[in-house]
Amino acid sequence: MGFGWELHGDGRQINAGAVVAPDERLSWPRTVGIGMQHVIAMFGATLLVPTITGFPVTTTLLFSGIGTVLFLLITRGRVPSYLGSSFAFIAPLTASAGSGPAAQLGGIVAAGVVLAVVGLIVKALGSRVIDAVMPPVVTGAVVALIGLNLAPTAAGSFEAQPLIGTVTLVSILVVTVLGRGLLGRLGILVGVVIGWIFAWVTGGLAPDRVDALKAAAWFGLPELRAPTFELSVVLLALPVVIVLVAENVGHVKAVAAMTGRNLDDVAGDALLADGLATTLAGAGGGSGTTTYAENIGVMAATRVYSTAAYWVAAVTAVILAFSPKFGALVFTVPDGVLGGATLVLYGLIGLLGVRIWMDAKIDFTDPVNLTVVAAALVAGIGDLTLSIGSVELGGIAWGSMGILVAYPILRRLADLRR
């Protein structure tokens, strides 16, 4: 089950060129300290998602910790990872806000179930099935259009408080570019804190949210909600599965490369675990989860890949989830701060798709690649919205479905022409 870690060396030092493997650990005080670093690394991103979407912060944090425990158990302690809130869910949650929280949770549950099924398929057939069904040109396009579809939302938040947004944005850029080590990887979190302080000093915090913060209890149960299912919301959320698959498989490959271990046989377990964690989160009122690249940075900096540290991080997250005061504090973050942060954040999601194309060396002189990607991106960025009967679908759904259907058909036609 991934317990029973061996002590690495003397438990205090890591020799030059060595790493602490997933099934090893340092001394417990050092392991706890590294676990706290993982909490800090995931904090900004995990809390930003419910802050933007209006979901309960403490509930999201609770299921983030529980999901991480589930992931560690299902992967049998072979893949060190923290499951935090997925940014990919922001777009469908924002687009479906009018349907209400229960319907939004239904979309998260549906995406989690599909991801779990994908995990079972990969376990049965091997990880190569992913490249066959979703080649990099398709995966990159879906990731890019999900991120860029959010551009108007980021701009609108920034315009609401332009000065506060500018201070936040500049802080993020400066810290990210000039910060070293862990500080540089926490650029968004640091920028949000600086922006919040500036908003507080200049009177930019909403008075009603400040009053709610003062009235909130220090200890209390997280708010749990039940999902309902609406077809339009479910179809809006399903393209996120492609992003989650790409993130999970990429995480497994990254950890394998850094630890020198072959983890291809555990890719299906990772997908299954994240699918179940996302399903559980949606069933209880939290946002969907994914493996976190932020925590890979901590592992690279410390050379500690011990899953024991992730157990510490997961337990810490669950404990913090029982503080309504903490959740109320996060909800005082004003629009300008969110605007400054999301201008960078949504762009990074879009560029992640471009990175997938670059890593796979996609040939955009190929007319099939060029035309289907172009159409999908414009549908997503322009938020093309059309109805089929009573079901209304937005740009993310149309762009994703369009490229998933059009690419294999056009590729086959092009091959037949030759």
PDB file of all heavy atoms in Angstrom, residues 77-110:
ATOM      1  N   GLY A  77       1.999   3.994  -3.617  1.00  0.00           N
ATOM      2  CA  GLY A  77       3.155   4.763  -3.188  1.00  0.00           C
ATOM      3  C   GLY A  77       4.270   4.852  -4.202  1.00  0.00           C
ATOM      4  O   GLY A  77       5.387   5.253  -3.871  1.00  0.00           O
ATOM      5  N   ARG A  78       4.001   4.529  -5.463  1.00  0.00           N
ATOM      6  CA  ARG A  78       5.055   4.556  -6.483  1.00  0.00           C
ATOM      7  C   ARG A  78       5.169   5.910  -7.179  1.00  0.00           C
ATOM      8  O   ARG A  78       6.203   6.207  -7.793  1.00  0.00           O
ATOM      9  CB  ARG A  78       4.793   3.461  -7.525  1.00  0.00           C
ATOM     10  CG  ARG A  78       4.888   2.041  -6.965  1.00  0.00           C
ATOM     11  CD  ARG A  78       4.647   1.023  -8.053  1.00  0.00           C
ATOM     12  NE  ARG A  78       5.638   1.128  -9.122  1.00  0.00           N
ATOM     13  CZ  ARG A  78       5.530   0.549 -10.305  1.00  0.00           C
ATOM     14  NH1 ARG A  78       4.437  -0.146 -10.586  1.00  0.00           N
ATOM     15  NH2 ARG A  78       6.474   0.685 -11.211  1.00  0.00           N
ATOM     16  N   VAL A  79       4.095   6.716  -7.135  1.00  0.00           N
ATOM     17  CA  VAL A  79       4.102   8.006  -7.832  1.00  0.00           C
ATOM     18  C   VAL A  79       3.870   9.121  -6.818  1.00  0.00           C
ATOM     19  O   VAL A  79       2.748   9.329  -6.363  1.00  0.00           O
ATOM     20  CB  VAL A  79       3.009   8.069  -8.917  1.00  0.00           C
ATOM     21  CG1 VAL A  79       3.105   9.389  -9.675  1.00  0.00           C
ATOM     22  CG2 VAL A  79       3.132   6.896  -9.873  1.00  0.00           C
ATOM     23  N   PRO A  80       4.901   9.861  -6.437  1.00  0.00           N
ATOM     24  CA  PRO A  80       4.714  10.985  -5.517  1.00  0.00           C
ATOM     25  C   PRO A  80       3.969  12.116  -6.215  1.00  0.00           C
ATOM     26  O   PRO A  80       4.419  12.630  -7.241  1.00  0.00           O
ATOM     27  CB  PRO A  80       6.150  11.393  -5.160  1.00  0.00           C
ATOM     28  CG  PRO A  80       6.977  10.930  -6.317  1.00  0.00           C
ATOM     29  CD  PRO A  80       6.314   9.693  -6.835  1.00  0.00           C
ATOM     30  N   SER A  81       2.816  12.482  -5.685  1.00  0.00           N
ATOM     31  CA  SER A  81       2.032  13.527  -6.333  1.00  0.00           C
ATOM     32  C   SER A  81       1.023  14.099  -5.356  1.00  0.00           C
ATOM     33  O   SER A  81       0.517  13.391  -4.476  1.00  0.00           O
ATOM     34  CB  SER A  81       1.289  12.972  -7.551  1.00  0.00           C
ATOM     35  OG  SER A  81       0.503  13.979  -8.160  1.00  0.00           O
ATOM     36  N   TYR A  82       0.714  15.394  -5.543  1.00  0.00           N
ATOM     37  CA  TYR A  82      -0.368  16.029  -4.808  1.00  0.00           C
ATOM     38  C   TYR A  82      -1.491  16.324  -5.783  1.00  0.00           C
ATOM     39  O   TYR A  82      -1.247  16.832  -6.881  1.00  0.00           O
ATOM     40  CB  TYR A  82       0.096  17.330  -4.136  1.00  0.00           C
ATOM     41  CG  TYR A  82      -0.951  17.864  -3.187  1.00  0.00           C
ATOM     42  CD1 TYR A  82      -0.951  17.479  -1.856  1.00  0.00           C
ATOM     43  CD2 TYR A  82      -1.975  18.689  -3.640  1.00  0.00           C
ATOM     44  CE1 TYR A  82      -1.946  17.910  -0.994  1.00  0.00           C
ATOM     45  CE2 TYR A  82      -2.970  19.123  -2.790  1.00  0.00           C
ATOM     46  CZ  TYR A  82      -2.951  18.726  -1.468  1.00  0.00           C
ATOM     47  OH  TYR A  82      -3.945  19.143  -0.617  1.00  0.00           O
ATOM     48  N   LEU A  83      -2.719  15.999  -5.409  1.00  0.00           N
ATOM     49  CA  LEU A  83      -3.877  16.284  -6.251  1.00  0.00           C
ATOM     50  C   LEU A  83      -4.526  17.586  -5.795  1.00  0.00           C
ATOM     51  O   LEU A  83      -5.225  17.622  -4.786  1.00  0.00           O
ATOM     52  CB  LEU A  83      -4.894  15.146  -6.183  1.00  0.00           C
ATOM     53  CG  LEU A  83      -4.490  13.799  -6.781  1.00  0.00           C
ATOM     54  CD1 LEU A  83      -5.699  12.872  -6.883  1.00  0.00           C
ATOM     55  CD2 LEU A  83      -3.853  13.951  -8.144  1.00  0.00           C
ATOM     56  N   GLY A  84      -4.270  18.645  -6.537  1.00  0.00           N
ATOM     57  CA  GLY A  84      -4.868  19.934  -6.233  1.00  0.00           C
ATOM     58  C   GLY A  84      -5.967  20.266  -7.219  1.00  0.00           C
ATOM     59  O   GLY A  84      -6.280  19.485  -8.127  1.00  0.00           O
ATOM     60  N   SER A  85      -6.579  21.430  -7.054  1.00  0.00           N
ATOM     61  CA  SER A  85      -7.669  21.852  -7.939  1.00  0.00           C
ATOM     62  C   SER A  85      -7.166  22.048  -9.366  1.00  0.00           C
ATOM     63  O   SER A  85      -6.145  22.697  -9.583  1.00  0.00           O
ATOM     64  CB  SER A  85      -8.279  23.166  -7.437  1.00  0.00           C
ATOM     65  OG  SER A  85      -8.731  23.031  -6.111  1.00  0.00           O
ATOM     66  N   SER A  86      -7.903  21.509 -10.325  1.00  0.00           N
ATOM     67  CA  SER A  86      -7.508  21.631 -11.719  1.00  0.00           C
ATOM     68  C   SER A  86      -8.003  22.943 -12.318  1.00  0.00           C
ATOM     69  O   SER A  86      -9.194  23.254 -12.246  1.00  0.00           O
ATOM     70  CB  SER A  86      -8.065  20.461 -12.531  1.00  0.00           C
ATOM     71  OG  SER A  86      -7.865  20.669 -13.912  1.00  0.00           O
ATOM     72  N   PHE A  87      -7.094  23.708 -12.929  1.00  0.00           N
ATOM     73  CA  PHE A  87      -7.476  24.947 -13.604  1.00  0.00           C
ATOM     74  C   PHE A  87      -8.374  24.673 -14.805  1.00  0.00           C
ATOM     75  O   PHE A  87      -9.139  25.543 -15.229  1.00  0.00           O
ATOM     76  CB  PHE A  87      -6.232  25.694 -14.076  1.00  0.00           C
ATOM     77  CG  PHE A  87      -5.414  26.258 -12.962  1.00  0.00           C
ATOM     78  CD1 PHE A  87      -4.049  26.034 -12.905  1.00  0.00           C
ATOM     79  CD2 PHE A  87      -6.001  27.005 -11.961  1.00  0.00           C
ATOM     80  CE1 PHE A  87      -3.286  26.544 -11.875  1.00  0.00           C
ATOM     81  CE2 PHE A  87      -5.247  27.526 -10.923  1.00  0.00           C
ATOM     82  CZ  PHE A  87      -3.887  27.295 -10.883  1.00  0.00           C
ATOM     83  N   ALA A  88      -8.270  23.467 -15.370  1.00  0.00           N
ATOM     84  CA  ALA A  88      -9.050  23.153 -16.560  1.00  0.00           C
ATOM     85  C   ALA A  88     -10.552  23.227 -16.299  1.00  0.00           C
ATOM     86  O   ALA A  88     -11.336  23.443 -17.225  1.00  0.00           O
ATOM     87  CB  ALA A  88      -8.681  21.758 -17.068  1.00  0.00           C
ATOM     88  N   PHE A  89     -10.958  23.072 -15.039  1.00  0.00           N
ATOM     89  CA  PHE A  89     -12.391  23.128 -14.715  1.00  0.00           C
ATOM     90  C   PHE A  89     -12.912  24.556 -14.631  1.00  0.00           C
ATOM     91  O   PHE A  89     -14.131  24.766 -14.585  1.00  0.00           O
ATOM     92  CB  PHE A  89     -12.665  22.415 -13.389  1.00  0.00           C
ATOM     93  CG  PHE A  89     -12.739  20.919 -13.501  1.00  0.00           C
ATOM     94  CD1 PHE A  89     -11.663  20.125 -13.130  1.00  0.00           C
ATOM     95  CD2 PHE A  89     -13.881  20.300 -13.982  1.00  0.00           C
ATOM     96  CE1 PHE A  89     -11.726  18.743 -13.231  1.00  0.00           C
ATOM     97  CE2 PHE A  89     -13.958  18.921 -14.088  1.00  0.00           C
ATOM     98  CZ  PHE A  89     -12.872  18.139 -13.716  1.00  0.00           C
ATOM     99  N   ILE A  90     -12.028  25.546 -14.573  1.00  0.00           N
ATOM    100  CA  ILE A  90     -12.488  26.926 -14.411  1.00  0.00           C
ATOM    101  C   ILE A  90     -13.392  27.344 -15.571  1.00  0.00           C
ATOM    102  O   ILE A  90     -14.444  27.954 -15.368  1.00  0.00           O
ATOM    103  CB  ILE A  90     -11.299  27.893 -14.289  1.00  0.00           C
ATOM    104  CG1 ILE A  90     -10.488  27.596 -13.014  1.00  0.00           C
ATOM    105  CG2 ILE A  90     -11.781  29.337 -14.260  1.00  0.00           C
ATOM    106  CD1 ILE A  90      -9.244  28.450 -12.867  1.00  0.00           C
ATOM    107  N   ALA A  91     -12.979  27.028 -16.794  1.00  0.00           N
ATOM    108  CA  ALA A  91     -13.755  27.447 -17.966  1.00  0.00           C
ATOM    109  C   ALA A  91     -15.162  26.862 -17.973  1.00  0.00           C
ATOM    110  O   ALA A  91     -16.141  27.603 -18.081  1.00  0.00           O
ATOM    111  CB  ALA A  91     -13.009  27.087 -19.247  1.00  0.00           C
ATOM    112  N   PRO A  92     -15.339  25.551 -17.867  1.00  0.00           N
ATOM    113  CA  PRO A  92     -16.708  25.029 -17.871  1.00  0.00           C
ATOM    114  C   PRO A  92     -17.519  25.460 -16.652  1.00  0.00           C
ATOM    115  O   PRO A  92     -18.736  25.664 -16.763  1.00  0.00           O
ATOM    116  CB  PRO A  92     -16.519  23.506 -17.897  1.00  0.00           C
ATOM    117  CG  PRO A  92     -15.135  23.271 -17.442  1.00  0.00           C
ATOM    118  CD  PRO A  92     -14.352  24.457 -17.888  1.00  0.00           C
ATOM    119  N   LEU A  93     -16.867  25.619 -15.493  1.00  0.00           N
ATOM    120  CA  LEU A  93     -17.596  26.065 -14.306  1.00  0.00           C
ATOM    121  C   LEU A  93     -18.059  27.512 -14.469  1.00  0.00           C
ATOM    122  O   LEU A  93     -19.171  27.871 -14.071  1.00  0.00           O
ATOM    123  CB  LEU A  93     -16.726  25.923 -13.057  1.00  0.00           C
ATOM    124  CG  LEU A  93     -16.437  24.490 -12.599  1.00  0.00           C
ATOM    125  CD1 LEU A  93     -15.509  24.490 -11.390  1.00  0.00           C
ATOM    126  CD2 LEU A  93     -17.726  23.742 -12.280  1.00  0.00           C
ATOM    127  N   THR A  94     -17.195  28.337 -15.055  1.00  0.00           N
ATOM    128  CA  THR A  94     -17.574  29.731 -15.290  1.00  0.00           C
ATOM    129  C   THR A  94     -18.703  29.826 -16.316  1.00  0.00           C
ATOM    130  O   THR A  94     -19.671  30.577 -16.139  1.00  0.00           O
ATOM    131  CB  THR A  94     -16.357  30.536 -15.790  1.00  0.00           C
ATOM    132  OG1 THR A  94     -15.309  30.471 -14.808  1.00  0.00           O
ATOM    133  CG2 THR A  94     -16.723  31.989 -16.018  1.00  0.00           C
ATOM    134  N   ALA A  95     -18.592  29.027 -17.384  1.00  0.00           N
ATOM    135  CA  ALA A  95     -19.603  29.062 -18.446  1.00  0.00           C
ATOM    136  C   ALA A  95     -20.959  28.524 -17.977  1.00  0.00           C
ATOM    137  O   ALA A  95     -21.998  28.922 -18.498  1.00  0.00           O
ATOM    138  CB  ALA A  95     -19.117  28.260 -19.649  1.00  0.00           C
ATOM    139  N   SER A  96     -20.940  27.619 -16.994  1.00  0.00           N
ATOM    140  CA  SER A  96     -22.188  27.000 -16.535  1.00  0.00           C
ATOM    141  C   SER A  96     -22.677  27.580 -15.217  1.00  0.00           C
ATOM    142  O   SER A  96     -23.543  26.987 -14.562  1.00  0.00           O
ATOM    143  CB  SER A  96     -21.994  25.492 -16.381  1.00  0.00           C
ATOM    144  OG  SER A  96     -20.973  25.207 -15.427  1.00  0.00           O
ATOM    145  N   ALA A  97     -22.152  28.736 -14.825  1.00  0.00           N
ATOM    146  CA  ALA A  97     -22.525  29.336 -13.542  1.00  0.00           C
ATOM    147  C   ALA A  97     -24.029  29.564 -13.429  1.00  0.00           C
ATOM    148  O   ALA A  97     -24.614  29.440 -12.349  1.00  0.00           O
ATOM    149  CB  ALA A  97     -21.779  30.655 -13.347  1.00  0.00           C
ATOM    150  N   GLY A  98     -24.671  29.878 -14.543  1.00  0.00           N
ATOM    151  CA  GLY A  98     -26.103  30.136 -14.510  1.00  0.00           C
ATOM    152  C   GLY A  98     -26.944  28.921 -14.198  1.00  0.00           C
ATOM    153  O   GLY A  98     -28.110  29.039 -13.812  1.00  0.00           O
ATOM    154  N   SER A  99     -26.357  27.727 -14.359  1.00  0.00           N
ATOM    155  CA  SER A  99     -27.098  26.495 -14.075  1.00  0.00           C
ATOM    156  C   SER A  99     -27.113  26.146 -12.594  1.00  0.00           C
ATOM    157  O   SER A  99     -27.856  25.256 -12.178  1.00  0.00           O
ATOM    158  CB  SER A  99     -26.498  25.324 -14.875  1.00  0.00           C
ATOM    159  OG  SER A  99     -26.578  25.564 -16.262  1.00  0.00           O
ATOM    160  N   GLY A 100     -26.262  26.819 -11.808  1.00  0.00           N
ATOM    161  CA  GLY A 100     -26.248  26.588 -10.371  1.00  0.00           C
ATOM    162  C   GLY A 100     -25.164  25.623  -9.925  1.00  0.00           C
ATOM    163  O   GLY A 100     -24.675  24.815 -10.734  1.00  0.00           O
ATOM    164  N   PRO A 101     -24.773  25.686  -8.651  1.00  0.00           N
ATOM    165  CA  PRO A 101     -23.681  24.845  -8.126  1.00  0.00           C
ATOM    166  C   PRO A 101     -23.939  23.351  -8.258  1.00  0.00           C
ATOM    167  O   PRO A 101     -23.016  22.588  -8.555  1.00  0.00           O
ATOM    168  CB  PRO A 101     -23.599  25.263  -6.653  1.00  0.00           C
ATOM    169  CG  PRO A 101     -24.223  26.610  -6.588  1.00  0.00           C
ATOM    170  CD  PRO A 101     -25.284  26.620  -7.632  1.00  0.00           C
ATOM    171  N   ALA A 102     -25.158  22.913  -8.041  1.00  0.00           N
ATOM    172  CA  ALA A 102     -25.442  21.479  -8.092  1.00  0.00           C
ATOM    173  C   ALA A 102     -25.182  20.914  -9.485  1.00  0.00           C
ATOM    174  O   ALA A 102     -24.574  19.844  -9.636  1.00  0.00           O
ATOM    175  CB  ALA A 102     -26.889  21.216  -7.670  1.00  0.00           C
ATOM    176  N   ALA A 103     -25.633  21.620 -10.511  1.00  0.00           N
ATOM    177  CA  ALA A 103     -25.399  21.166 -11.881  1.00  0.00           C
ATOM    178  C   ALA A 103     -23.906  21.209 -12.220  1.00  0.00           C
ATOM    179  O   ALA A 103     -23.400  20.331 -12.930  1.00  0.00           O
ATOM    180  CB  ALA A 103     -26.193  22.026 -12.862  1.00  0.00           C
ATOM    181  N   GLN A 104     -23.206  22.217 -11.729  1.00  0.00           N
ATOM    182  CA  GLN A 104     -21.760  22.293 -11.950  1.00  0.00           C
ATOM    183  C   GLN A 104     -21.055  21.085 -11.342  1.00  0.00           C
ATOM    184  O   GLN A 104     -20.146  20.514 -11.940  1.00  0.00           O
ATOM    185  CB  GLN A 104     -21.206  23.589 -11.344  1.00  0.00           C
ATOM    186  CG  GLN A 104     -21.639  24.856 -12.075  1.00  0.00           C
ATOM    187  CD  GLN A 104     -21.148  26.101 -11.364  1.00  0.00           C
ATOM    188  OE1 GLN A 104     -21.392  26.297 -10.183  1.00  0.00           O
ATOM    189  NE2 GLN A 104     -20.446  26.955 -12.093  1.00  0.00           N
ATOM    190  N   LEU A 105     -21.475  20.705 -10.145  1.00  0.00           N
ATOM    191  CA  LEU A 105     -20.891  19.527  -9.501  1.00  0.00           C
ATOM    192  C   LEU A 105     -21.186  18.264 -10.307  1.00  0.00           C
ATOM    193  O   LEU A 105     -20.350  17.358 -10.381  1.00  0.00           O
ATOM    194  CB  LEU A 105     -21.433  19.388  -8.077  1.00  0.00           C
ATOM    195  CG  LEU A 105     -20.995  20.454  -7.075  1.00  0.00           C
ATOM    196  CD1 LEU A 105     -21.742  20.289  -5.753  1.00  0.00           C
ATOM    197  CD2 LEU A 105     -19.493  20.393  -6.841  1.00  0.00           C
ATOM    198  N   GLY A 106     -22.372  18.212 -10.928  1.00  0.00           N
ATOM    199  CA  GLY A 106     -22.693  17.075 -11.778  1.00  0.00           C
ATOM    200  C   GLY A 106     -21.723  16.953 -12.942  1.00  0.00           C
ATOM    201  O   GLY A 106     -21.324  15.842 -13.320  1.00  0.00           O
ATOM    202  N   GLY A 107     -21.322  18.094 -13.502  1.00  0.00           N
ATOM    203  CA  GLY A 107     -20.327  18.071 -14.572  1.00  0.00           C
ATOM    204  C   GLY A 107     -18.990  17.550 -14.089  1.00  0.00           C
ATOM    205  O   GLY A 107     -18.308  16.785 -14.797  1.00  0.00           O
ATOM    206  N   ILE A 108     -18.596  17.935 -12.890  1.00  0.00           N
ATOM    207  CA  ILE A 108     -17.329  17.456 -12.315  1.00  0.00           C
ATOM    208  C   ILE A 108     -17.386  15.952 -12.093  1.00  0.00           C
ATOM    209  O   ILE A 108     -16.435  15.218 -12.409  1.00  0.00           O
ATOM    210  CB  ILE A 108     -17.033  18.193 -10.994  1.00  0.00           C
ATOM    211  CG1 ILE A 108     -16.763  19.668 -11.262  1.00  0.00           C
ATOM    212  CG2 ILE A 108     -15.846  17.557 -10.270  1.00  0.00           C
ATOM    213  CD1 ILE A 108     -16.605  20.505 -10.008  1.00  0.00           C
ATOM    214  N   VAL A 109     -18.510  15.467 -11.548  1.00  0.00           N
ATOM    215  CA  VAL A 109     -18.668  14.025 -11.329  1.00  0.00           C
ATOM    216  C   VAL A 109     -18.567  13.265 -12.645  1.00  0.00           C
ATOM    217  O   VAL A 109     -17.881  12.238 -12.740  1.00  0.00           O
ATOM    218  CB  VAL A 109     -20.020  13.732 -10.642  1.00  0.00           C
ATOM    219  CG1 VAL A 109     -20.291  12.229 -10.632  1.00  0.00           C
ATOM    220  CG2 VAL A 109     -20.029  14.270  -9.222  1.00  0.00           C
ATOM    221  N   ALA A 110     -19.240  13.768 -13.687  1.00  0.00           N
ATOM    222  CA  ALA A 110     -19.213  13.103 -14.983  1.00  0.00           C
ATOM    223  C   ALA A 110     -17.792  13.031 -15.538  1.00  0.00           C
ATOM    224  O   ALA A 110     -17.360  11.983 -16.044  1.00  0.00           O
ATOM    225  CB  ALA A 110     -20.125  13.836 -15.966  1.00  0.00           C
TER     226      ALA A 110
END
